[in-house]
Amino acid sequence: DYDIVNCHINLLVQLGKREGVKVEQIEWYNELKGNKKRFQSFADNFGIDTDTLKAAMLAIVYGAGLVEFHGLAITELLSEQTTSFISHPDIKEFHLQVKNVRAAVTANADQRNGFLINHTGKKMPLTEKPDTLFAHLMQGYEAEMLHHALELYGDRITLLSHDGFAANDEIDISRITTKYKASTGMDIQIKRELITAPRIAA
């Protein structure tokens, strides 16, 4: 199994830097997420597990506001922990920087004849909501990696996912990341996890 490491956050940081937007707090979260002990401690501040924290932060990346109201993403994820989460200064600054990156990236993306064009050439009407347009752009960057993987190793890839794939043997990841850097200008890391079939008792 092959997946881009911290795909959404890493791309967000690099896109923000490309646009000249502050990303220090987004980088803070990226580093925090990479330290299991510190990440667990931060989640404990809100009385939630780390999977819920990851989901809440990713929801912010894709447009969830820091609002406590039934039916909204953050409240649905965090329930009674919502108030402490949305009022935390690190979360508030993360939300602000993400919002600024989303706006800058979308505003400066390829726009033609009333459509927003993502990196793989897919179109979306500019009349869509800003958060939807940004998601369209991010999905284009994810798909670009898959295109390179298929071009190089299509005969060995058995399954595709949003930001990864499965293959029937070990492949040279560096060829994909080098090709991705050349086509997008961005660096990605791809992690490999060996999947083994469960043993069946005789």
Side-chain angles (χ1 to χ4, degrees):
D1 184 61
Y2 297 86
D3 294 289
I4 301 177
V5 177
N6 293 335
C7 178
H8 304 88
I9 302 299
N10 280 330
L11 291 179
L12 195 68
V13 166
Q14 292 180 73
L15 288 168
K17 288 182 176 180
R18 179 183 293 180
E19 299 296 339
V21 180
K22 287 179 62 176
V23 294
E24 291 89 348
Q25 195 69 7
I26 306 173
E27 291 181 299
W28 160 82
Y29 173 66
N30 210 13
E31 293 171 4
L32 180 71
K33 192 166 172 280
N35 185 313
K36 289 184 178 180
K37 187 175 181 179
R38 287 180 58 219
F39 195 56
Q40 180 66 63
S41 177
F42 192 68
D44 289 343
N45 287 332
F46 310 112
I48 59 178
D49 58 41
T50 54
D51 285 341
T52 302
L53 177 57
K54 288 177 189 177
M57 300 301 273
L58 192 57
I60 292 172
V61 170
Y62 283 103
L66 298 187
V67 180
E68 187 171 8
F69 190 78
H70 182 70
L72 296 182
I74 296 299
T75 304
E76 288 293 297
L77 283 166
L78 301 178
S79 189
E80 64 270 16
Q81 285 80 25
T82 301
T83 301
S84 61
F85 180 82
I86 65 177
S87 61
H88 194 285
D90 284 325
I91 300 300
K92 291 169 73 172
E93 183 62 23
F94 178 85
H95 174 263
L96 176 62
Q97 291 190 10
V98 166
K99 185 177 179 181
N100 291 340
V101 172
R102 284 201 317 263
V105 169
T106 305
N108 294 322
D110 187 6
Q111 299 180 18
R112 284 174 268 163
N113 302 317
F115 288 92
L116 186 75
I117 317 297
N118 72 16
H119 199 73
T120 58
K122 300 290 185 182
K123 299 179 180 179
M124 177 172 282
L126 287 168
T127 52
E128 292 286 350
K129 294 180 180 178
D131 300 336
T132 303
L133 291 172
F134 178 74
H136 176 64
L137 293 173
M138 290 291 278
Q139 287 162 6
Y141 284 112
E142 289 181 355
E144 180 78 355
M145 185 279 288
L146 298 178
H147 287 180
H148 294 322
L150 286 171
E151 182 181 344
L152 293 167
Y153 301 109
D155 58 332
R156 294 154 70 180
I157 290 175
T158 57
L159 179 69
L160 297 177
S161 62
H162 289 294
D163 58 359
F165 57 89
N168 54 20
D169 61 2
E170 187 171 357
I171 64 174
D172 184 359
I173 296 170
S174 66
R175 294 184 66 195
I176 301 174
T177 56
T178 298
K179 210 168 175 58
Y180 189 86
K181 173 75 170 182
S183 65
T184 66
M186 293 192 289
D187 293 302
I188 57 170
Q189 292 180 318
I190 298 176
K191 64 180 179 180
R192 171 181 174 268
E193 180 181 355
L194 182 63
I195 300 174
T196 57
R199 291 188 176 185
I200 301 175

